[in-house]
Amino acid sequence: MFTMSSDKVPLSQRAAAAARPAPVDAASYMEGLNDAQRDAVMTTEGPVLMLAGAGTGKTRALTTRLAHILATRLAAPWQVLAVTFTNKAAREMKERIGHLVGDTVEGMQWLGTFHSIAAKILRIHAEIVDLKSSFTIIDTDDQVRLCKQVIEAAGLDEKRWSGRGLASFIDDWKNRGLTPDNVPRGEAHHFGNGKGIELYKAYQERLVTLNAADFGDLLLHNITIFQKHPDILAKYQDRFRYMLVDEYQDTNIAQYLWLRLLAQKNKNICVVGDDDQSIYGWRGAEVANILNFEKDFPGAKVIRLERNYRSTPAILAAASGLIAANRTRLGKTLWTDDDSEHEKVKLRGVWDGEEEARTVTDDIENEQRKGRSLSDMAVLVRASFQMRSFEERFNTAGIAYQVVGGPRFYEREETRDALAYLRLTRNPEDDLSFLRIVNKPRRGMGDKAIQALTVNARKQGLSLARAAQLLLETDEIKGKARTGLTRFLDGLMRWGEAARDTRPDIIAETILEESGYTEFWKSSKSPQAPSKLENLKELVNAAGEFDTLAGYLDHVSLVADINQDNSEGQVMLMTLHAAKGLEFPVVFLPGWEEEIFPSARSLDENGNEGLEEERRLAYVGITRARESCRISFAANRMVYGRWQNAMPSRFIDELPEAHVEVVSEPGLYGNAASELAAYSSFNDMAETNDTYDTPGWRRAKSARGRTSPAPMLEGRAELVATSSPGSSSFRVGSRVFHQKFGYGQVVAAEGNKLEVDFEHSGHKKVIDSFLEQA
């Protein structure tokens, strides 16, 4: 029987609504809206897609639309469903509406996040899905623990099939609106030797036994209830006369299905979003939801908010020019009526990552000297591992910074684990490091074994490592624990000896590989595993900057211990994903290189869809800037202790030249390395990568048939040639070796820039510092 007793509107609110005075004058809350915003507010009937570009005032338009519906009494507060993605956004929306129309907003019981509203509905109808209304909503840790129990009960090896991995699969299925009975059979083979669906069913049965639901269940159970009980669905369709949805481009399939079911009767649904800012495909968001809105709701009105109130014309033009390369988009062009003088988007090519961090820091200090607060500036990176070089440079320069959306580089789990290995290798008496990693990855050392070891060490006044060696001479530790501990201690001894005459980066890489720690994350099904592996790689790179392991570890201790003075604010350091929705006067976008941005993993896994999402991420980065946007790329990157040539991102060549300034500062870095990097990396990439022919990458061919510099850098070859370093020690005819390209022969030389015919890699231009005499 359908009841809504827990959702019943109090009589006092009903009476207040009935006694409410005539609708307020619309001019009081419509004042200041532009034509497109006003249209979005006044078009109350039928489906509406408010296609809102970055900085176009979409939140104001959305909240004013809600206020208009309430003020004109088109619906009572409890007859409006307003959905956001975060509790913070819901609170802010409620505050704004309250400011516009007063305490009417207090009756809006259905304003909240997808999960909070779905949970409220589920508690009313819990019995239909075999739950009680008092069900518990479990968090991620409980979900993983429950998955481990299910895997163990199925007799599977939890080392190979982890609880976190199963939880990730189940989340994905639920985000797609799939119950165990609806999961495609082919996908069952992706986990647990074909037992994926069986494990999913067992997991769901276990939840019912516990009277619990995870976050994915909240929407999934709602969908099940609506589909199997049309009468219940009809009641909610009648109740929600108007529906408003924020950030529609970030919805997943389950959220889409839930919304579409509720909107089928009245069809008064208004969704607000920007297809050009759909950047969460990796966590289930479907950009197709917003792209297909007009098909899903025939007759829908599309209102484009294109007037930008945030950024300068050059920034908007650069962002619009870049995103135009995407094929799957609805299309819009941001504009501003600000016609005052502003700087162009700045593009800088640098020699390597270290120089990039240094130039960004110098720019920040220059802005600070001009009176700008550190809080006005942000460094936005594609991946968290890129933060390390900036953190260290900021600490050296005494610049206060805040890592947004996660811990600092040296505070991350994987970094602390890796450092514990290195510290224990250097100092076997370090008991804290020993306890952290003795069973990570698992070596059969359970709590009892570690407790026995700890007690024994204290009794004898020994370090844990020494006590462990003595304990192995007895029969107190047996089986897997004995084998695992023996290998661990043998490794510590071997690594300690090797560290005396081995480069820090080589020994770090060796320890992580031989200990099984790198493989631990490679085999992990956790969505965070790839980024953790990138951070480990960056840690190895950082160690390579020091002569000894001891020197590196001392450096890390000092960096991690620095107390920052926040009196002048803090530079914001974050990933591009974490920056969505934020804005800053000055934005730095470093690391615009192929395989970093766009991400090689994204392209490998998702092809052209991945490329377009990466381009949308670049668009988000540029549009975070209000006054100044500065993009940089390096010609060389250190990867696991080895220098590699880096190719500039294809996104650079998609920026409109008229709105971009290539920064040229000859002599600033001694030998114009940044100019050389900018020219060489663009030119060499095009000349030596004939198979690199991705749509959107422009290639200008000279009369000789060779590729000329990228259009943005044309005309700078003379500068590069005149400012390049002195003669090379290699001569024409010299036989040389390159770490990446192998053996070859020098066929031409200009300063330290050589042309080499490699035996297996063909003709390439390289810098002599990357070559060895063969």
Side-chain angles (χ1 to χ4, degrees):
M1 185 70 180
F2 178 84
T3 63
M4 298 193 68
S5 57
S6 63
D7 178 45
K8 188 175 180 180
V9 180
L11 290 175
S12 59
Q13 289 188 18
R14 290 181 178 272
R20 197 177 311 281
V24 298
D25 181 9
S28 62
Y29 54 80
M30 299 283 281
E31 186 177 350
L33 296 179
N34 62 41
D35 291 342
Q37 291 172 328
R38 185 178 294 269
D39 192 15
V41 170
M42 300 298 290
T43 307
T44 57
E45 305 308 304
V48 174
L49 168 58
M50 199 187 303
L51 198 60
T56 57
K58 62 102 174 175
T59 302
R60 182 180 181 189
L62 179 60
T63 54
T64 305
R65 178 186 172 89
L66 266 172
H68 178 67
I69 289 171
L70 297 176
T72 56
R73 301 175 67 179
L74 290 171
W78 54 87
Q79 293 176 317
V80 177
L81 174 67
V83 187
T84 65
F85 267 84
T86 66
N87 289 316
K88 179 183 177 183
R91 286 194 300 270
E92 290 177 352
M93 185 179 295
K94 196 169 185 178
E95 289 173 3
R96 289 194 184 206
I97 298 170
H99 178 72
L100 292 174
V101 295
D103 61 1
T104 304
V105 71
E106 294 304 320
M108 293 194 68
Q109 301 175 355
W110 301 99
L111 189 161
T113 64
F114 277 99
H115 290 112
S116 67
I117 294 172
K120 184 182 294 188
I121 293 174
L122 182 57
R123 290 203 184 277
I124 299 171
H125 310 287
E127 291 81 3
I128 294 176
V129 289
D130 299 323
L131 295 174
K132 299 176 183 177
S133 61
S134 59
F135 67 82
T136 299
I137 301 174
I138 64 172
D139 60 18
T140 302
D141 288 341
D142 288 336
Q143 184 184 11
V144 171
R145 277 194 288 271
L146 192 56
C147 284
K148 288 180 179 179
Q149 294 174 15
V150 169
I151 290 169
E152 184 179 353
L156 294 171
D157 182 2
E158 210 277 324
K159 290 183 179 178
R160 181 180 180 189
W161 307 107
S162 70
R164 193 169 296 278
L166 178 58
S168 178
F169 270 91
I170 291 175
D171 278 343
D172 178 63
W173 287 327
K174 290 184 177 181
N175 286 340
R176 290 156 57 196
L178 299 174
T179 62
D181 293 334
N182 296 326
V183 173
R185 289 293 162 186
E187 294 189 23
H189 297 285
H190 296 169
F191 192 90
N193 295 326
K195 295 184 177 181
I197 296 176
E198 177 185 324
L199 293 169
Y200 185 8
K201 286 181 178 178
Y203 171 81
Q204 291 301 100
E205 290 169 359
R206 184 69 179 140
L207 283 173
V208 169
T209 302
L210 296 172
N211 190 34
D214 61 25
F215 282 98
D217 279 330
L218 300 178
L219 281 164
L220 192 62
H221 284 329
N222 269 219
I223 293 170
T224 299
I225 292 168
F226 291 160
Q227 289 177 335
K228 292 185 176 181
H229 298 270
D231 57 326
I232 295 179
L233 174 61
K235 294 284 187 180
Y236 284 100
Q237 290 175 336
D238 288 338
R239 167 172 289 272
F240 301 137
R241 297 182 60 183
Y242 290 91
M243 296 172 58
L244 296 96
V245 187
D246 195 13
E247 303 289 2
Y248 190 64
Q249 78 281 346
D250 293 334
T251 54
N252 59 36
I253 294 176
Q255 290 162 341
Y256 159 79
L257 292 172
W258 184 79
L259 289 167
R260 190 173 182 189
L261 283 167
L262 289 171
Q264 282 306 302
K265 185 173 183 179
N266 290 322
K267 293 186 172 56
N268 290 333
I269 180 172
C270 173
V271 301
V272 184
D274 182 1
D275 55 325
D276 291 334
Q277 294 189 72
S278 181
I279 58 174
Y280 297 118
W282 51 276
R283 68 183 188 195
E286 284 285 344
V287 68
N289 291 349
I290 192 169
L291 295 176
N292 295 331
F293 184 80
E294 291 178 90
K295 294 180 181 177
D296 294 330
F297 295 94
K301 182 173 183 178
V302 179
I303 300 172
R304 287 173 167 79
L305 303 188
E306 298 175 305
R307 181 180 178 182
N308 181 277
Y309 294 92
R310 175 191 299 165
S311 305
T312 65
I315 291 172
L316 297 180
S320 296
L322 173 69
I323 200 63
N326 271 6
R327 298 176 182 176
T328 51
R329 59 188 297 259
L330 296 173
K332 62 185 175 305
T333 303
L334 299 181
W335 61 275
T336 177
D337 57 4
D338 181 2
D339 56 0
S340 56
E341 195 78 18
H342 295 285
E343 69 177 45
K344 296 181 178 181
V345 172
K346 293 184 178 179
L347 172 65
R348 171 184 279 140
V350 297
W351 181 244
D352 58 20
E354 182 180 346
E355 182 177 338
E356 184 174 52
R358 184 170 63 250
T359 56
V360 168
T361 303
D362 289 346
D363 283 352
I364 289 173
E365 290 180 320
N366 288 336
E367 291 293 330
Q368 197 177 15
R369 281 191 288 269
K370 295 176 184 177
R372 197 184 291 276
S373 168
L374 290 177
S375 300
D376 288 341
M377 294 176 274
V379 180
L380 312 181
V381 297
R382 173 61 184 86
S384 60
F385 77 87
Q386 296 173 260
M387 295 182 185
R388 196 271 310 172
S389 59
F390 293 98
E391 289 189 49
E392 297 204 359
R393 191 70 195 178
F394 291 164
N395 282 323
T396 300
I399 292 177
Y401 69 93
Q402 177 184 351
V403 175
V404 178
R408 298 186 178 195
F409 182 80
Y410 288 114
E411 295 172 355
R412 299 177 186 275
E413 173 195 11
E414 63 279 10
T415 307
R416 292 168 69 89
D417 288 344
L419 290 173
Y421 273 105
L422 300 183
R423 289 187 176 115
L424 197 58
T425 298
R426 179 191 179 193
N427 174 23
E429 309 294 313
D430 187 344
D431 285 355
L432 291 177
S433 293
F434 185 97
L435 285 173
R436 183 177 182 92
I437 47 97
V438 65
N439 202 38
K440 197 168 186 182
R442 293 183 180 178
R443 299 185 175 87
M445 292 290 292
D447 292 340
K448 289 183 179 179
I450 292 176
Q451 184 179 11
L453 175 59
T454 304
V455 170
N456 190 48
R458 287 176 180 170
K459 282 182 179 179
Q460 301 185 62
L462 300 173
S463 69
L464 289 173
R466 178 57 182 155
Q469 290 174 332
L470 296 176
L471 201 60
L472 288 174
E473 297 175 6
T474 72
D475 294 326
E476 294 185 54
I477 294 183
K478 300 179 180 180
K480 291 183 179 180
R482 186 179 189 86
T483 302
L485 187 58
T486 300
R487 291 176 178 173
F488 178 61
L489 294 177
D490 288 347
L492 288 179
M493 185 178 299
R494 184 171 66 255
W495 303 327
E497 292 174 357
R500 297 169 187 167
D501 53 8
T502 305
R503 280 172 30 196
D505 54 332
I506 299 298
I507 193 63
E509 183 178 1
T510 300
I511 291 171
L512 294 176
E513 290 288 345
E514 293 186 358
S515 67
Y517 192 72
T518 298
E519 183 58 34
F520 167 72
W521 286 115
K522 282 183 179 179
S523 60
S524 171
K525 305 298 182 182
S526 167
Q528 289 77 39
S531 65
K532 290 182 182 293
L533 286 168
E534 289 175 340
N535 288 336
L536 291 176
K537 187 182 295 185
E538 183 60 22
L539 182 140
V540 171
N541 293 341
E545 298 174 6
F546 294 82
D547 295 328
T548 64
L549 179 61
Y552 173 59
L553 292 174
D554 288 344
H555 165 77
V556 171
S557 298
L558 293 173
V559 167
D561 235 11
I562 290 178
N563 293 318
Q564 296 189 337
D565 177 10
N566 301 335
S567 59
E568 296 185 31
Q570 296 174 298
V571 174
M572 298 293 108
L573 179 58
M574 68 190 85
T575 65
L576 286 160
H577 284 101
K580 187 171 177 293
L582 303 178
E583 58 182 79
F584 305 91
V586 180
V587 168
F588 297 90
L589 301 172
W592 278 42
E593 298 139 35
E594 287 294 310
E595 298 193 0
I596 292 180
F597 197 31
S599 158
R601 179 160 53 93
S602 183
L603 299 190
D604 290 343
E605 294 177 357
N606 301 301
N608 193 61
E609 288 184 8
L611 173 61
E612 294 212 344
E613 181 158 318
E614 291 288 297
R615 190 176 284 112
R616 292 194 292 268
L617 194 56
Y619 170 86
V620 166
I622 294 174
T623 55
R624 298 312 93 194
R626 294 208 303 260
E627 302 169 20
S628 178
C629 179
R630 306 176 190 186
I631 299 169
S632 58
F633 65 92
N636 310 282
R637 289 283 177 187
M638 179 76 78
V639 179
Y640 265 165
R642 299 176 182 84
W643 283 105
Q644 291 187 6
N645 296 123
M647 296 187 294
S649 170
R650 68 194 76 190
F651 298 154
I652 289 175
D653 204 29
E654 293 170 355
L655 297 170
E657 300 171 44
H659 301 285
V660 178
E661 174 190 358
V662 177
V663 178
S664 176
E665 302 173 69
L668 181 60
Y669 307 114
N671 59 7
S674 61
E675 281 71 34
L676 182 60
Y679 174 82
S680 299
S681 54
F682 262 114
N683 203 23
D684 292 349
M685 177 194 61
E687 290 189 8
T688 63
N689 290 272
D690 293 331
T691 59
Y692 188 77
D693 194 16
T694 307
W697 185 272
R698 301 199 305 271
R699 304 174 118 196
K701 297 287 184 180
S702 67
R704 292 184 296 135
R706 298 174 66 87
T707 309
S708 66
M712 199 151 324
L713 298 176
E714 284 183 358
R716 300 187 60 227
E718 184 177 350
L719 166 65
V720 175
T722 58
S723 60
S724 58
S727 300
S728 170
S729 58
F730 296 100
R731 296 289 179 264
V732 173
S734 297
R735 183 168 171 76
V736 294
F737 175 76
H738 188 282
Q739 287 279 358
K740 182 177 180 181
F741 303 131
Y743 290 96
Q745 186 175 39
V746 178
V747 295
E750 182 180 350
N752 73 333
K753 184 177 179 182
L754 309 177
E755 293 186 37
V756 180
D757 278 335
F758 290 99
E759 294 174 1
H760 300 293
S761 304
H763 187 91
K764 296 184 181 295
K765 290 183 178 180
V766 297
I767 306 302
D768 63 357
S769 60
F770 291 97
L771 299 173
E772 301 173 17
Q773 194 77 46

